[in-house]
Amino acid sequence: MSLYATVVTAMWVMLPAYVPNNAAVLAGGGAPLDGGRTWGGRRILGDGKTYRGTLFGVLAGFAVAAALDVLQRAAISAFGVSLPWFPFAAMGALPAGAMLGDILASFVKRRTGRERGASFPLLDQLDFVVVALAVTAVAAPAWFGDTFTLDVLLAILVLTPLLHLLTNAIAYQFGLKDEPW
Ligand code: CTP
Ligand code: MG
């Protein structure tokens, strides 16, 4: 695969995992997932992980995957790249895994004494990718193997932190997010 095709494919397959974080920022608020409970004197997850944000994030990612399936043929001719089709299991696994990764990262941040909103370089940028990929590998193993070839995986690991920093900086500029990370 050419570098161009690799990058387009990487972005296409990860879109359903990228959107949930941003949708959660827009929808967030209300009751926190941990119900305000603490563990060892610190919040289990913190007020930044809410039911509304999580649910909306997963639904938004699912809707994006379904929309990409509708657009697949048009996108293949527009980009000139043979783009994959999302099976139902991947439609759910990519966004659910992304949200789970973000939640696990908050758990790790609280355990290491970081307050809500504190930055944790690399964990903040890659938590959701690693868990989205892991959950998808379990939920749709054959599709995962066909789709996430080594070059696509490499492109995802390099491009995701950059994209994440860029979109969060934009959300911060627009006052949607409290911190630029
Ligand atoms: N959000 C949410 N539910 C989630 C994830 C995010 O409601 N599962 C919303 C919250 O309003 C949160 C915002 O999106 O404040 C930004 O997300 P994030 O940066 O992940 O949370 P932080 O507030 O920075 O908290 P943490 O330190 O735990 O990451
Ligand atoms: Mg944050």
PDB file of all heavy atoms in Angstrom, residues 4-21:
ATOM      1  N   TYR A   4       0.024   7.191   1.031  1.00  0.00           N
ATOM      2  CA  TYR A   4      -1.258   7.892   0.938  1.00  0.00           C
ATOM      3  C   TYR A   4      -2.417   6.951   1.281  1.00  0.00           C
ATOM      4  O   TYR A   4      -3.275   7.267   2.106  1.00  0.00           O
ATOM      5  CB  TYR A   4      -1.409   8.474  -0.480  1.00  0.00           C
ATOM      6  CG  TYR A   4      -2.818   8.856  -0.850  1.00  0.00           C
ATOM      7  CD1 TYR A   4      -3.403  10.000  -0.322  1.00  0.00           C
ATOM      8  CD2 TYR A   4      -3.569   8.061  -1.723  1.00  0.00           C
ATOM      9  CE1 TYR A   4      -4.705  10.352  -0.654  1.00  0.00           C
ATOM     10  CE2 TYR A   4      -4.866   8.400  -2.067  1.00  0.00           C
ATOM     11  CZ  TYR A   4      -5.432   9.539  -1.527  1.00  0.00           C
ATOM     12  OH  TYR A   4      -6.720   9.874  -1.853  1.00  0.00           O
ATOM     13  N   ALA A   5      -2.411   5.776   0.657  1.00  0.00           N
ATOM     14  CA  ALA A   5      -3.496   4.807   0.904  1.00  0.00           C
ATOM     15  C   ALA A   5      -3.490   4.344   2.358  1.00  0.00           C
ATOM     16  O   ALA A   5      -4.550   4.156   2.967  1.00  0.00           O
ATOM     17  CB  ALA A   5      -3.341   3.606  -0.031  1.00  0.00           C
ATOM     18  N   THR A   6      -2.298   4.193   2.921  1.00  0.00           N
ATOM     19  CA  THR A   6      -2.182   3.764   4.320  1.00  0.00           C
ATOM     20  C   THR A   6      -2.789   4.810   5.252  1.00  0.00           C
ATOM     21  O   THR A   6      -3.548   4.478   6.170  1.00  0.00           O
ATOM     22  CB  THR A   6      -0.699   3.548   4.691  1.00  0.00           C
ATOM     23  OG1 THR A   6      -0.141   2.621   3.780  1.00  0.00           O
ATOM     24  CG2 THR A   6      -0.559   3.013   6.102  1.00  0.00           C
ATOM     25  N   VAL A   7      -2.459   6.079   4.998  1.00  0.00           N
ATOM     26  CA  VAL A   7      -2.945   7.160   5.864  1.00  0.00           C
ATOM     27  C   VAL A   7      -4.468   7.314   5.735  1.00  0.00           C
ATOM     28  O   VAL A   7      -5.176   7.424   6.742  1.00  0.00           O
ATOM     29  CB  VAL A   7      -2.220   8.484   5.527  1.00  0.00           C
ATOM     30  CG1 VAL A   7      -2.910   9.670   6.204  1.00  0.00           C
ATOM     31  CG2 VAL A   7      -0.760   8.410   5.965  1.00  0.00           C
ATOM     32  N   VAL A   8      -4.980   7.270   4.502  1.00  0.00           N
ATOM     33  CA  VAL A   8      -6.429   7.400   4.296  1.00  0.00           C
ATOM     34  C   VAL A   8      -7.162   6.240   4.978  1.00  0.00           C
ATOM     35  O   VAL A   8      -8.171   6.439   5.661  1.00  0.00           O
ATOM     36  CB  VAL A   8      -6.780   7.471   2.782  1.00  0.00           C
ATOM     37  CG1 VAL A   8      -8.284   7.420   2.570  1.00  0.00           C
ATOM     38  CG2 VAL A   8      -6.192   8.730   2.158  1.00  0.00           C
ATOM     39  N   THR A   9      -6.637   5.033   4.821  1.00  0.00           N
ATOM     40  CA  THR A   9      -7.258   3.862   5.446  1.00  0.00           C
ATOM     41  C   THR A   9      -7.225   3.977   6.970  1.00  0.00           C
ATOM     42  O   THR A   9      -8.230   3.704   7.651  1.00  0.00           O
ATOM     43  CB  THR A   9      -6.520   2.566   5.023  1.00  0.00           C
ATOM     44  OG1 THR A   9      -6.512   2.494   3.598  1.00  0.00           O
ATOM     45  CG2 THR A   9      -7.191   1.339   5.598  1.00  0.00           C
ATOM     46  N   ALA A  10      -6.094   4.409   7.512  1.00  0.00           N
ATOM     47  CA  ALA A  10      -5.955   4.534   8.967  1.00  0.00           C
ATOM     48  C   ALA A  10      -6.980   5.519   9.520  1.00  0.00           C
ATOM     49  O   ALA A  10      -7.635   5.248  10.533  1.00  0.00           O
ATOM     50  CB  ALA A  10      -4.533   4.980   9.324  1.00  0.00           C
ATOM     51  N   MET A  11      -7.141   6.657   8.854  1.00  0.00           N
ATOM     52  CA  MET A  11      -8.087   7.661   9.334  1.00  0.00           C
ATOM     53  C   MET A  11      -9.525   7.166   9.208  1.00  0.00           C
ATOM     54  O   MET A  11     -10.348   7.369  10.092  1.00  0.00           O
ATOM     55  CB  MET A  11      -7.905   8.983   8.567  1.00  0.00           C
ATOM     56  CG  MET A  11      -6.571   9.668   8.791  1.00  0.00           C
ATOM     57  SD  MET A  11      -6.297  10.111  10.533  1.00  0.00           S
ATOM     58  CE  MET A  11      -5.187   8.811  11.052  1.00  0.00           C
ATOM     59  N   TRP A  12      -9.809   6.493   8.097  1.00  0.00           N
ATOM     60  CA  TRP A  12     -11.163   5.973   7.850  1.00  0.00           C
ATOM     61  C   TRP A  12     -11.569   4.977   8.941  1.00  0.00           C
ATOM     62  O   TRP A  12     -12.637   5.088   9.540  1.00  0.00           O
ATOM     63  CB  TRP A  12     -11.205   5.304   6.469  1.00  0.00           C
ATOM     64  CG  TRP A  12     -12.519   4.714   6.079  1.00  0.00           C
ATOM     65  CD1 TRP A  12     -12.943   3.430   6.298  1.00  0.00           C
ATOM     66  CD2 TRP A  12     -13.588   5.372   5.385  1.00  0.00           C
ATOM     67  NE1 TRP A  12     -14.201   3.243   5.782  1.00  0.00           N
ATOM     68  CE2 TRP A  12     -14.618   4.425   5.214  1.00  0.00           C
ATOM     69  CE3 TRP A  12     -13.758   6.667   4.874  1.00  0.00           C
ATOM     70  CZ2 TRP A  12     -15.817   4.729   4.562  1.00  0.00           C
ATOM     71  CZ3 TRP A  12     -14.945   6.970   4.236  1.00  0.00           C
ATOM     72  CH2 TRP A  12     -15.962   6.013   4.080  1.00  0.00           C
ATOM     73  N   VAL A  13     -10.693   4.004   9.211  1.00  0.00           N
ATOM     74  CA  VAL A  13     -11.063   2.961  10.183  1.00  0.00           C
ATOM     75  C   VAL A  13     -11.086   3.486  11.613  1.00  0.00           C
ATOM     76  O   VAL A  13     -11.778   2.934  12.465  1.00  0.00           O
ATOM     77  CB  VAL A  13     -10.146   1.709  10.129  1.00  0.00           C
ATOM     78  CG1 VAL A  13     -10.389   0.942   8.862  1.00  0.00           C
ATOM     79  CG2 VAL A  13      -8.691   2.057  10.292  1.00  0.00           C
ATOM     80  N   MET A  14     -10.347   4.554  11.889  1.00  0.00           N
ATOM     81  CA  MET A  14     -10.306   5.054  13.265  1.00  0.00           C
ATOM     82  C   MET A  14     -11.334   6.139  13.550  1.00  0.00           C
ATOM     83  O   MET A  14     -11.543   6.498  14.711  1.00  0.00           O
ATOM     84  CB  MET A  14      -8.897   5.554  13.606  1.00  0.00           C
ATOM     85  CG  MET A  14      -7.885   4.438  13.780  1.00  0.00           C
ATOM     86  SD  MET A  14      -8.418   3.143  14.947  1.00  0.00           S
ATOM     87  CE  MET A  14      -8.081   3.965  16.504  1.00  0.00           C
ATOM     88  N   LEU A  15     -11.982   6.644  12.530  1.00  0.00           N
ATOM     89  CA  LEU A  15     -12.963   7.719  12.741  1.00  0.00           C
ATOM     90  C   LEU A  15     -14.021   7.345  13.806  1.00  0.00           C
ATOM     91  O   LEU A  15     -14.315   8.164  14.687  1.00  0.00           O
ATOM     92  CB  LEU A  15     -13.609   8.098  11.407  1.00  0.00           C
ATOM     93  CG  LEU A  15     -13.971   9.579  11.226  1.00  0.00           C
ATOM     94  CD1 LEU A  15     -12.790  10.492  11.530  1.00  0.00           C
ATOM     95  CD2 LEU A  15     -14.469   9.828   9.812  1.00  0.00           C
ATOM     96  N   PRO A  16     -14.577   6.115  13.770  1.00  0.00           N
ATOM     97  CA  PRO A  16     -15.554   5.745  14.798  1.00  0.00           C
ATOM     98  C   PRO A  16     -14.955   5.677  16.207  1.00  0.00           C
ATOM     99  O   PRO A  16     -15.695   5.650  17.193  1.00  0.00           O
ATOM    100  CB  PRO A  16     -16.028   4.353  14.359  1.00  0.00           C
ATOM    101  CG  PRO A  16     -15.718   4.291  12.900  1.00  0.00           C
ATOM    102  CD  PRO A  16     -14.453   5.080  12.717  1.00  0.00           C
ATOM    103  N   ALA A  17     -13.620   5.646  16.311  1.00  0.00           N
ATOM    104  CA  ALA A  17     -12.979   5.659  17.631  1.00  0.00           C
ATOM    105  C   ALA A  17     -12.543   7.074  18.013  1.00  0.00           C
ATOM    106  O   ALA A  17     -12.337   7.369  19.185  1.00  0.00           O
ATOM    107  CB  ALA A  17     -11.770   4.725  17.642  1.00  0.00           C
ATOM    108  N   TYR A  18     -12.383   7.950  17.021  1.00  0.00           N
ATOM    109  CA  TYR A  18     -11.973   9.334  17.299  1.00  0.00           C
ATOM    110  C   TYR A  18     -13.154  10.193  17.759  1.00  0.00           C
ATOM    111  O   TYR A  18     -13.014  11.042  18.632  1.00  0.00           O
ATOM    112  CB  TYR A  18     -11.386   9.994  16.049  1.00  0.00           C
ATOM    113  CG  TYR A  18     -10.025   9.477  15.627  1.00  0.00           C
ATOM    114  CD1 TYR A  18      -9.602   9.577  14.306  1.00  0.00           C
ATOM    115  CD2 TYR A  18      -9.155   8.913  16.552  1.00  0.00           C
ATOM    116  CE1 TYR A  18      -8.353   9.131  13.911  1.00  0.00           C
ATOM    117  CE2 TYR A  18      -7.908   8.447  16.157  1.00  0.00           C
ATOM    118  CZ  TYR A  18      -7.516   8.563  14.831  1.00  0.00           C
ATOM    119  OH  TYR A  18      -6.290   8.110  14.445  1.00  0.00           O
ATOM    120  N   VAL A  19     -14.285   9.992  17.117  1.00  0.00           N
ATOM    121  CA  VAL A  19     -15.453  10.842  17.362  1.00  0.00           C
ATOM    122  C   VAL A  19     -15.989  10.776  18.812  1.00  0.00           C
ATOM    123  O   VAL A  19     -16.380  11.798  19.361  1.00  0.00           O
ATOM    124  CB  VAL A  19     -16.552  10.517  16.323  1.00  0.00           C
ATOM    125  CG1 VAL A  19     -17.898  11.086  16.724  1.00  0.00           C
ATOM    126  CG2 VAL A  19     -16.134  11.052  14.958  1.00  0.00           C
ATOM    127  N   PRO A  20     -16.007   9.574  19.456  1.00  0.00           N
ATOM    128  CA  PRO A  20     -16.594   9.499  20.798  1.00  0.00           C
ATOM    129  C   PRO A  20     -16.010  10.498  21.807  1.00  0.00           C
ATOM    130  O   PRO A  20     -16.764  11.119  22.554  1.00  0.00           O
ATOM    131  CB  PRO A  20     -16.306   8.059  21.226  1.00  0.00           C
ATOM    132  CG  PRO A  20     -16.297   7.311  19.951  1.00  0.00           C
ATOM    133  CD  PRO A  20     -15.658   8.234  18.950  1.00  0.00           C
ATOM    134  N   ASN A  21     -14.689  10.682  21.813  1.00  0.00           N
ATOM    135  CA  ASN A  21     -14.087  11.620  22.769  1.00  0.00           C
ATOM    136  C   ASN A  21     -14.616  13.031  22.569  1.00  0.00           C
ATOM    137  O   ASN A  21     -14.929  13.728  23.530  1.00  0.00           O
ATOM    138  CB  ASN A  21     -12.568  11.650  22.600  1.00  0.00           C
ATOM    139  CG  ASN A  21     -11.915  10.405  23.165  1.00  0.00           C
ATOM    140  OD1 ASN A  21     -11.939  10.185  24.355  1.00  0.00           O
ATOM    141  ND2 ASN A  21     -11.378   9.572  22.299  1.00  0.00           N
TER     142      ASN A  21
END
